[in-house]
Amino acid sequence: MPSPAQTAAITAVLSTATSAHASTPTTQALHQATTLPLQSARRLWQAFLSARVLVATLLIALLATQTWTSAGLPPNVYWLWLLTTGYLVIALLGWVVLHQKPPASYWRWPWLLLLASDVATICLLQEMQLGKMHYTPLLALPILTVSVLGHMRLALATTASITLILLGIDIFHAWHWGGIASESYMQTALVCAGFFAVAYLTRQLAQRLAYQERQARTNRQAARTQTQVNSLIVANLSEGVVVVDKHYQVRMANPAACELLGLPAPLGLHDLLHPDWQGLRDMVDQTYTSNQALSQHIHLMAVGQSPTGLYVRTWLTTHMEGDSWLPELEGDAVDSVLAPHAWLCVMFLHDLREVEARLRTEKMAAMGRMSAAVAHEIRNPLAAIVQANALLQEDLTEPAQQRLSHMVEQNAQRLARIAEDVLDIARVQQQIQHSDSRTLALDTELASIWQEWRQQNSRIAQGIFQPHSANAYVAFDTEHLRRVVVNLLDNAARHCQGPHEDALQLLSGAGGEGQFWLQVWSEGAPLEASVEKHLFEPFFSSQSRSTGLGLYICRELCQRHEGSISYSRCERLTARGLQAGNAFTVLMRGGVLHSVNASLFDPIVM
């Protein structure tokens, strides 16, 4: 699942976007919402320009037909040819110059001149008409253009101008001819009223279509954004996500799921028909049969590998109880009504080791707090023991008694160091106060630690020591180096899978830039990826009886002395040739440091 920080960030982004959309829209926002997008406006403008060219061509064709069929040439035929030809030229010129420049709601003189040419040409054609042809309906073309691409005031103003022109023509005819029939006035009035209705309705439809198109664009962009957010979240989830259908066909799988299932990449996952995944297939069948969310522990068995424990949860993307009309359908009818993608099974895969590790972490955290309190209380009695032992040493004369007193002092110092380390771990500090880093001869110290460890673990048959850093000095504390090496040797002996002596090796060498290294290598199978990425975390262990503090303490001690520890899979030369194994490498800084050895009990107040 996403971390609390990721969830908070995503929630903040989504809430900000929602609040922005839910706020009161401004005048500019409302204007943009009822204005056609640029791409749609360009398409419509090009359609109107093409319609003008087509109308001009038809007018010329109609004039040619009338001229050809007429018995004699009318006196104004030349003016008609000049008018229609000029209109065709203006229409073509408008297409060439303005076809990529839609006017939208900002009409300037080029578009207004084109509009005026339409009105003037049609009115003149109506005035100089041949026969009974009426050209007045063609005035709807400029009205539609302004209503769709302009604003309401411009559309009404254009319609009003055309109305005044038509009424002015009727008045001129009445004055010139001494009267005109009332039917002509009525016809002009009805035509102009129809033009106003067309302008108003067209503008309303254009606004609604523009609003719906912008809403569709906004919703599509929001859906794309949400899809990207979901993809990023699923791809970066630490738990595996697999989406499958009824036929075990995998529709989606994130990298975490591929890692848990042992696949190289999401593209390599096509179905769940692998023989080792029978448990997953059973859960898919149960989920589809019961139509309910399920959770179960599954162990995937693979040949030659240890079983992989998974905690699996499943959901269906469509629930029957959410669709009130579905109970009326039965059997295949439901499948035929619902789209195939509506019946997908979403599976969440959790590594059982991580689940159990989190539970152990919670338990060990409580124990850690108690251990810190105990360690804090232990320091004062230890100080009293050391002081009493020092007073006792003054009265001891026999060598045996002095040796015993020295053993008491040594072990008390060691217990004091352990108490300090427990307190450091409990404080969970990244930058803790350095203990004294002493100048140590690396190979000499490793030889002493190796001999002591071999004596204490004489039953272990494996193990050889190969020093390669003669005369090398490192800055490290003696007791801390001992704890690091012993911890690594114990882990290596526990997981070593070879009866041969050289199956476990302790090595040392010189690195670059004044650094030196030691390495504990053991022959064995590689660590699982889910274990490797948590190796140095506190309270994480692949064994139920382990506290999971060993490698964490090693890392803290190395960092305390400006060193580092890492895990790698590498090959080492043995009597049987090169063998692959697990290696833990400690890098240490070299150099000669002069420091005064201080007692651990100096800061203790009695």
Side-chain angles (χ1 to χ4, degrees):
M1 298 295 290
S3 63
Q6 292 174 334
T7 304
I10 294 171
T11 304
V13 171
L14 295 180
S15 62
T16 303
T18 304
S19 61
H21 284 291
S23 60
T24 303
T26 61
T27 304
Q28 183 178 5
L30 288 174
H31 174 71
Q32 292 178 351
T34 56
T35 304
L36 285 172
L38 182 59
Q39 186 176 3
S40 299
R42 182 180 291 112
R43 289 198 303 267
L44 288 173
W45 175 244
Q46 292 174 356
F48 283 124
L49 290 177
S50 302
R52 282 174 171 82
V53 175
L54 179 61
V55 168
T57 305
L58 291 177
L59 288 176
I60 292 178
L62 180 62
L63 181 60
T65 303
Q66 289 179 345
T67 305
W68 181 265
T69 57
S70 298
L73 292 176
N76 59 350
V77 67
Y78 298 106
W79 290 105
L80 289 174
W81 276 105
L82 181 62
L83 182 62
T84 54
T85 305
Y87 183 58
L88 177 60
V89 172
I90 294 175
L92 292 174
L93 186 63
W95 169 262
V96 173
V97 177
L98 300 176
H99 76 284
Q100 290 295 339
K101 299 177 181 180
S105 59
Y106 303 99
W107 286 78
R108 302 294 175 86
W109 64 268
W111 300 288
L112 292 177
L113 287 178
L114 187 63
L115 195 66
S117 69
D118 293 340
V119 177
T121 301
I122 296 172
C123 290
L124 290 175
L125 286 173
Q126 179 64 26
E127 184 66 18
M128 296 184 298
Q129 61 180 339
L130 295 176
K132 298 181 180 181
M133 178 67 66
H134 289 276
Y135 297 96
T136 306
L138 293 178
L139 291 172
L141 180 61
I143 294 176
L144 290 175
T145 303
V146 178
S147 300
V148 173
L149 298 176
H151 47 78
M152 180 62 77
R153 287 182 297 177
L154 184 59
L156 294 178
T158 303
T159 308
S161 300
I162 293 175
T163 301
L164 292 176
I165 293 173
L166 294 178
L167 291 176
I169 292 174
D170 287 344
I171 294 173
F172 175 78
H173 288 168
W175 174 78
H176 186 266
W177 293 335
I180 191 171
S182 60
E183 290 82 0
S184 179
Y185 286 108
M186 183 62 66
Q187 182 180 4
T188 302
L190 290 176
V191 170
C192 293
F195 284 160
F196 274 104
V198 168
Y200 180 79
L201 293 176
T202 302
R203 184 57 194 162
Q204 293 296 323
L205 290 175
Q207 288 181 343
R208 182 173 294 276
L209 290 175
Y211 176 76
Q212 291 179 352
E213 183 172 355
R214 289 190 176 274
Q215 284 295 106
R217 289 175 180 268
T218 302
N219 295 337
R220 183 167 63 249
Q221 183 62 35
R224 289 177 178 175
T225 303
Q226 188 62 41
T227 301
Q228 293 176 357
V229 171
N230 293 340
S231 299
L232 288 174
I233 293 176
V234 171
N236 292 279
L237 281 177
S238 58
E239 59 183 353
V241 179
V242 181
V243 182
V244 296
D245 57 17
K246 284 185 176 181
H247 306 291
Y248 315 119
Q249 187 73 24
V250 175
R251 302 296 183 89
M252 185 184 71
N254 67 340
C258 295
E259 182 179 351
L260 290 174
L261 298 177
L263 295 172
L267 295 178
L269 187 62
H270 298 289
D271 51 51
L272 294 179
L273 298 180
H274 195 280
D276 300 334
W277 299 338
Q278 181 62 43
L280 295 178
R281 294 196 295 273
D282 293 341
M283 280 208 70
V284 172
D285 294 337
Q286 294 174 12
T287 303
Y288 277 110
T289 302
S290 62
N291 194 26
Q292 294 179 354
L294 301 178
S295 61
Q296 187 177 344
H297 289 184
I298 294 178
H299 292 276
L300 303 182
M301 306 296 296
V303 179
Q305 297 181 4
S306 58
T308 302
L310 297 177
Y311 174 63
V312 183
R313 295 178 296 165
T314 61
W315 287 274
L316 284 180
T317 55
T318 299
H319 296 283
M320 293 290 288
E321 60 271 15
D323 302 316
S324 58
W325 53 276
L326 286 180
E328 301 176 1
L329 305 176
E330 295 182 359
D332 296 337
V334 176
D335 293 335
S336 62
V337 172
L338 290 177
H341 65 272
W343 291 94
L344 296 179
C345 178
V346 182
M347 309 179 70
F348 285 84
L349 312 179
H350 304 259
D351 192 346
L352 277 180
R353 291 190 183 90
E354 294 187 4
V355 176
E356 295 171 355
R358 284 196 293 268
L359 295 177
R360 287 201 303 271
T361 299
E362 296 174 359
K363 296 178 181 179
M364 294 301 295
M367 295 178 61
R369 290 191 292 268
M370 182 186 67
S371 301
V374 172
H376 180 75
E377 296 297 329
I378 283 178
R379 292 188 304 173
N380 287 343
L382 280 177
I385 291 173
V386 170
Q387 292 179 359
N389 184 66
L391 294 174
L392 183 62
Q393 280 182 340
E394 297 177 358
D395 298 331
L396 298 178
T397 56
E398 296 185 6
Q401 295 176 344
Q402 291 179 355
R403 286 196 301 271
L404 292 175
S405 177
H406 182 67
M407 290 176 58
V408 172
E409 180 182 4
Q410 263 189 335
N411 286 280
Q413 291 280 354
R414 182 173 296 183
L415 286 175
R417 291 179 183 274
I418 294 175
E420 288 295 324
D421 291 335
V422 171
L423 288 175
D424 289 340
I425 294 174
R427 296 184 190 111
V428 195
Q429 297 175 347
Q430 293 297 328
Q431 299 295 335
I432 53 180
Q433 183 180 3
H434 288 354
S435 295
D436 293 329
S437 293
R438 309 174 184 181
T439 302
L440 304 178
L442 180 59
D443 285 351
T444 304
E445 290 294 330
L446 291 180
S448 175
I449 296 172
W450 173 257
Q451 184 178 3
E452 180 182 347
W453 183 79
R454 291 295 296 173
Q455 290 176 355
Q456 294 177 355
N457 299 273
S458 56
R459 58 183 179 81
I460 299 178
Q462 302 93 340
I464 59 173
F465 175 46
Q466 298 182 7
H468 298 290
S469 57
N471 302 322
Y473 291 88
V474 296
F476 223 91
D477 179 78
T478 305
E479 186 61 29
H480 290 174
L481 182 62
R482 181 185 304 276
R483 291 192 62 184
V484 170
V485 176
V486 170
N487 237 329
L488 295 179
L489 289 173
D490 288 341
N491 283 341
R494 189 179 305 115
H495 298 94
C496 185
Q497 298 180 358
H500 308 283
E501 182 182 7
D502 52 7
L504 187 151
Q505 300 180 14
L506 173 62
L507 309 98
S508 65
E513 300 180 357
Q515 288 186 328
F516 300 92
W517 56 268
L518 69 89
Q519 185 180 90
V520 176
W521 177 89
S522 61
E523 184 179 340
L527 297 180
E528 296 183 6
S530 59
V531 176
E532 180 179 348
K533 64 182 179 181
H534 299 292
L535 268 178
F536 300 99
E537 295 181 5
F539 307 111
F540 181 84
S541 175
S542 59
Q543 297 183 352
S544 58
R545 295 187 178 182
S546 176
T547 62
L549 288 175
L551 292 177
Y552 172 73
I553 293 176
C554 290
R555 187 192 66 179
E556 292 296 310
L557 294 178
C558 291
Q559 291 180 353
R560 179 179 301 185
H561 299 283
E562 300 181 17
S564 64
I565 182 172
S566 61
Y567 164 80
S568 62
R569 180 76 178 170
C570 65
E571 295 181 343
R572 284 293 177 189
L573 185 62
T574 65
R576 304 169 310 282
L578 289 175
Q579 297 293 329
N582 302 308
F584 287 87
T585 305
V586 177
L587 286 178
M588 296 165 285
R589 61 183 177 94
V592 179
L593 299 179
H594 301 282
S595 60
V596 179
N597 296 336
S599 172
L600 287 173
F601 301 104
D602 290 344
I604 298 178
V605 179
M606 298 297 294

